[in-house]
Amino acid sequence: MKVGVIAGSPVDTQMGVEVLNVKGIETYAYPAAKAAREQTEFQMQSSEVRTNRIQRLIQSAQSDGMNAMMIYCNSLSSTVDMEMLSRKLGIKIVTPLMAYACYAKQYQVLSVLAGNNQGLAGIERAILQSNLSCTVVGASLLPMVVEIEAQTLPEQIVEKFHLMSLFEFFESAGAEAFILGCTHFPYIRRVLDEKVRIPILDPADKMYELLVND
């Protein structure tokens, strides 16, 4: 299997490549933008512009011999119809939104921290389409994505953005689990594991399962 990874910037695209490389899958990177803020601006373009750019990236990956695609970006998955592109181009595409549909069947209250509000809205939509009775408590934090791309230490990021106060809010709202709603956020996972009491859900694990299973 050869898998092409599309994400918003070179940084999170490479993160997706590394997720699959450690599993022994041959993987290549196809970033949609040059930086996190450019990615957000791209997502504000028309649906036609967004779809055409992603279609060109997938076609380029197919020309390179890729036989499956992983969209390692929540907000990008939320703003382009990946199911339509999968049918149109005849290639398997997995996205984080597919993982959230699975989580929705396991929990009744989920907390989410996303990279931007477009991603947050898409995650909530995917959860509610799978389980309409599930409650989603969420926030978005693009400045944290910028800090991660600058390779600020995880401990400093957690402190700078007062993330433990945010988790206290999530827990007070009844959250049973926390979703890493941006593919940059596993960067701080080690620190969160030490401090957060509720389960932390990383969609990358489920996406891998979906890739290798028919």
Side-chain angles (χ1 to χ4, degrees), residues 41-135:
E41 293 170 2
F42 161 64
Q43 290 166 9
M44 295 306 296
Q45 301 294 317
S46 69
S47 176
E48 181 179 7
V49 169
R50 295 193 305 267
T51 299
N52 286 343
R53 183 183 297 188
I54 300 306
Q55 177 172 318
R56 289 195 297 270
L57 286 174
I58 295 172
Q59 289 172 324
S60 177
Q62 288 178 300
S63 296
D64 293 336
M66 303 301 113
N67 47 37
M69 302 296 300
M70 181 171 77
I71 310 301
Y72 197 67
C73 178
N74 291 271
S75 52
L76 194 59
S77 301
S78 302
T79 55
V80 175
D81 188 343
M82 299 300 177
E83 291 184 8
M84 179 276 292
L85 286 177
S86 177
R87 293 191 301 270
K88 180 178 180 179
L89 300 177
I91 189 169
K92 185 175 188 177
I93 301 175
V94 300
T95 80
L97 302 185
M98 297 175 180
Y100 305 140
C102 297
Y103 298 150
K105 298 174 182 177
Q106 302 172 32
Y107 299 95
Q108 285 302 306
V109 183
L110 286 166
S111 57
V112 181
L113 182 59
N116 61 35
N117 288 316
Q118 297 167 80
L120 183 59
I123 293 169
E124 182 180 52
R125 187 180 308 112
I127 290 171
L128 295 181
Q129 286 174 343
S130 181
N131 178 5
L132 193 56
S133 67
C134 187
T135 298

Side-chain angles (χ1 to χ4, degrees), residues 109 111 137 164-176 197-198:
V109 183
S111 57
V137 184
M164 297 321 299
S165 295
L166 179 61
F167 280 106
E168 288 179 8
F169 165 73
F170 285 155
E171 290 187 46
S172 70
E176 301 167 334
R197 292 189 291 264
I198 59 178

Side-chain angles (χ1 to χ4, degrees), residues 161-213:
F161 294 105
H162 302 281
L163 291 187
M164 297 321 299
S165 295
L166 179 61
F167 280 106
E168 288 179 8
F169 165 73
F170 285 155
E171 290 187 46
S172 70
E176 301 167 334
F178 166 69
I179 291 174
L180 294 169
C182 173
T183 49
H184 284 78
F185 292 169
Y187 179 82
I188 61 171
R189 173 73 185 268
R190 174 182 57 80
V191 179
L192 297 182
D193 280 337
E194 296 172 356
K195 298 177 178 291
V196 177
R197 292 189 291 264
I198 59 178
I200 297 174
L201 306 177
D202 182 352
D205 298 330
K206 180 61 68 174
M207 292 168 69
Y208 168 74
E209 293 178 18
L210 294 170
L211 268 177
V212 299
N213 297 322

